[in-house]
Amino acid sequence: MKHLFVPLLLLLGLHASAQQSPAKLTIELRYLLALPEGYDADTSRRWPLLIFLHGSGERGMDLEKVKMHGPPKLVEAGKKYPLIVVSPQSDQGGWDPGMLHKLLLDLKKNHRVDADRVYLTGLSMGGFGSWEFASRYPNELAALAPICGGGQPETAWKMRYVPVWCFHGAKDNVVQLSASARMIDALKPYQPGVKFTVYPEAGHDSWTETYNNDSLYTWLLAQRRHRFRQVDVDAGKLGKLAGRYVRSGSNDTVVVTAIANGLQLSAGQHRESVKAASETLFFWDENAPVDMIFNKEGFLLRAWEQEQYRKVK
């Protein structure tokens, strides 16, 4: 595996190790970068990306600490991953989703990253950070693998198109099993196939067994970022959805009219068109999980907040 020094416009290089190259995004975020074998051989090929978020014990200003657990530890021991592995370091009491997003954008700009195969994983503090990032930027991820972490169950619906495999130790006395269980329970109505592995005898360290299991990486690499696909829908069926709708709890009105294989939404002088993914599901953009679902009462608009609209005419 070849590891490269990372010269970026806003990156300051550090002394490169024999195994992984340190770099940092401005002075706020440092990370280890490991490029897969064959990265330089075919300059037209794009590679999947795995971002690993460490736990609280690896916080600070010393990147060597990040190699204590997980993928960076395994890379240092000689494991060869068929993907780009990036392991940032936080010097705070948690992870900043906005800064991680800036890192991801830099990586996609400066390396041959397959944007449809970006995977995020983390342990403990990094497990919490993984859930939070996925709730903020779900359209960036192809899959999520949080370990002994937790999040805000009310945000689970935002991850409805992000495949999740969660791990936790049943005897964890640092982060209770219920922290992961609440997230999984909240996600199941939107994603019945969500995966949840509980190690009956494991304590807080549920990550060693997880990262040593190649089935995790096989599963990750099989996932692709969700993209809506436009389909042909009978004009008569689209016409039945046309009408005037009012948002629950307000007087906001949206007028829906049928167009070719989609709908047009009008609110005052503002107009937007949406494409049909089915006879009842419509979307704005192939890459963003913002959709509207019609039912007998009206439609549910799923954006950053869920909004229910009732048909009145």
Side-chain angles (χ1 to χ4, degrees):
M1 180 179 291
K2 187 173 182 180
H3 307 278
L4 300 181
F5 177 76
V6 188
L8 296 179
L9 182 60
L10 294 177
L11 288 178
L12 301 177
L14 302 178
H15 180 68
S17 72
Q19 291 294 324
Q20 301 176 78
S21 300
K24 59 181 177 179
L25 178 64
T26 72
I27 61 172
E28 298 176 83
L29 191 65
R30 295 158 300 284
Y31 63 92
L32 296 170
L33 171 71
L35 297 175
E37 282 188 333
Y39 183 85
D40 292 328
D42 183 356
T43 57
S44 64
R45 179 177 177 181
R46 294 197 169 271
W47 293 81
L49 167 68
L50 175 64
I51 299 177
F52 164 74
L53 305 183
H54 64 70
S56 61
E58 294 74 64
R59 290 174 298 172
M61 305 291 289
D62 181 6
L63 271 173
E64 290 298 309
K65 295 172 66 176
V66 180
K67 301 175 184 178
M68 289 180 63
H69 302 296
K73 176 183 178 179
L74 296 172
V75 168
E76 199 70 5
K79 185 175 179 65
K80 301 182 186 300
Y81 287 101
L83 37 68
I84 300 169
V85 179
V86 169
S87 307
Q89 183 178 41
S90 172
D91 59 1
Q92 306 297 320
W95 288 98
D96 179 351
M99 183 55 64
L100 290 173
H101 189 234
K102 291 178 182 178
L103 171 62
L104 175 56
L105 295 180
D106 255 340
L107 292 168
K108 291 196 291 187
K109 179 180 178 181
N110 292 282
H111 297 280
R112 297 196 307 279
V113 173
D114 183 344
D116 288 330
R117 302 177 76 190
V118 175
Y119 312 115
L120 179 63
T121 185
L123 62 89
S124 195
M125 185 181 89
F128 282 90
S130 297
W131 282 115
E132 185 174 3
F133 182 91
S135 72
R136 289 272 301 273
Y137 304 100
N139 55 306
E140 294 282 12
L141 298 176
L144 181 71
I147 303 174
C148 59
Q152 300 176 348
E154 63 271 18
T155 67
W157 68 272
K158 298 178 183 179
M159 295 170 260
R160 62 196 176 278
Y161 297 122
V162 181
V164 173
W165 191 353
C166 180
F167 303 83
H168 214 117
K171 297 182 179 180
D172 192 332
N173 59 3
V174 177
V175 178
Q176 296 297 313
L177 173 62
S178 58
S180 285
R182 284 194 296 268
M183 294 302 296
I184 297 301
D185 289 343
L187 191 56
K188 278 183 178 178
Y190 305 100
Q191 190 185 132
V194 62
K195 295 165 67 70
F196 188 25
T197 295
V198 178
Y199 302 109
E201 300 301 320
H204 191 46
D205 181 5
S206 51
W207 55 80
T208 298
E209 184 172 353
T210 298
Y211 290 127
N212 283 338
N213 189 344
D214 284 341
S215 64
L216 168 63
Y217 309 106
T218 300
W219 177 81
L220 287 172
L221 290 167
Q223 311 306 316
R224 301 291 189 277
R225 181 172 56 162
H226 172 81
R227 288 177 180 266
F228 283 113
R229 294 289 182 263
Q230 188 171 11
V231 300
D232 293 333
V233 178
D234 181 80
K237 293 179 178 179
L238 290 174
K240 292 180 180 179
L241 302 178
R244 188 162 61 91
Y245 296 78
V246 176
R247 183 161 65 96
S248 298
S250 76
N251 293 321
D252 294 344
T253 299
V254 174
V255 176
V256 175
T257 55
I259 57 177
N261 292 320
L263 300 171
Q264 179 174 276
L265 281 62
S266 302
Q269 299 299 314
H270 186 70
R271 288 180 174 78
E272 290 283 353
S273 61
V274 292
K275 306 169 186 177
S278 73
E279 295 177 359
T280 57
L281 175 63
F282 297 80
F283 66 97
W284 273 261
D285 182 82
E286 291 84 350
N287 298 322
V290 181
D291 46 292
M292 55 189 300
I293 299 177
F294 283 82
N295 52 36
K296 293 180 180 179
E297 292 75 32
F299 67 83
L300 176 67
L301 175 62
R302 285 172 164 171
W304 290 115
E305 299 294 339
Q306 299 197 72
E307 298 177 350
Q308 183 69 52
Y309 286 79
R310 178 174 54 89
K311 190 171 185 178
V312 295
K313 185 178 181 181

